[in-house]
Amino acid sequence: MPNPSQPAFVLVRPQMGENIGASARAMWNFALDRMWLVAPRDGWPNPSARAMASGAGRVLDAAEVSGTTAEAVAGCSFVLATTARGRGLTKPVFSPERAMQEARDRIARGERVAVLFGPERAGLENDDIARANAIVSVPVNPDYGSLNLAQCVLLMAYEWRRATAEVVPESVELAGAEWAEQAEIEALSAHYEERMEEAGFFFPEHKAESMKLNLRNLWSRMPLTRADVRTLHGILRQMVRWKERGR
């Protein structure tokens, strides 16, 4: 099986070309391009698959085809089988996250890993699962455990990406802006404090210091850019001018 640096995604007896194409698209979203097809119902190649792949045709071009699951996984040392139902077989059961961590670690040691996905109608058969070393169980709604083939492929591909690449949990798109520096925030705070003092905001007098402290703390909690600071200065200046014109 080629490219041992990533797991092979093995679609066992897929029924619809559209689902094969959608699976290829899901794989390529996360830089996976090792697809293996076991006895696709409508033969191969399939024009419906290519139409659905939407730019992920390279995955289809490189896809391997075999007649049996045994042939597809013959070169692998570790095989995972995705299934939503208990099959009465004694095997380790992994979550998708843990399964892809295991795949990552084994591949790093030079092993070849495959992930089996069953046909749309009923999923993998026991004969397929018996060839796997472990089961992957998705924690879906117990009253409705049916996952579309491409959905399951996408979920596993995403977990592979999480296991092998840095995923930033949160970021801010500054769109060309820069964060304001502390000196700029301090000047903004002083500007507002001065004008609010003139307006009699800090009343009664014995509460003035705590009110000023709360105001400074408010500015420090706000993630302000330099453009934000200029805007807030401008708003206050215009309000003061408007008040003076009304006298």
Side-chain angles (χ1 to χ4, degrees), residues 66-85:
S66 66
T68 66
T69 302
E71 181 183 345
V73 301
C76 296
S77 58
F78 192 72
V79 179
L80 294 156
T82 60
T83 180
R85 302 192 301 273

Side-chain angles (χ1 to χ4, degrees), residues 233-246:
H233 276 300
I235 289 172
L236 187 55
R237 291 190 189 101
Q238 189 60 31
M239 291 176 67
V240 170
R241 292 190 189 106
W242 171 79
K243 181 178 181 297
E244 291 174 347
R245 284 199 302 269

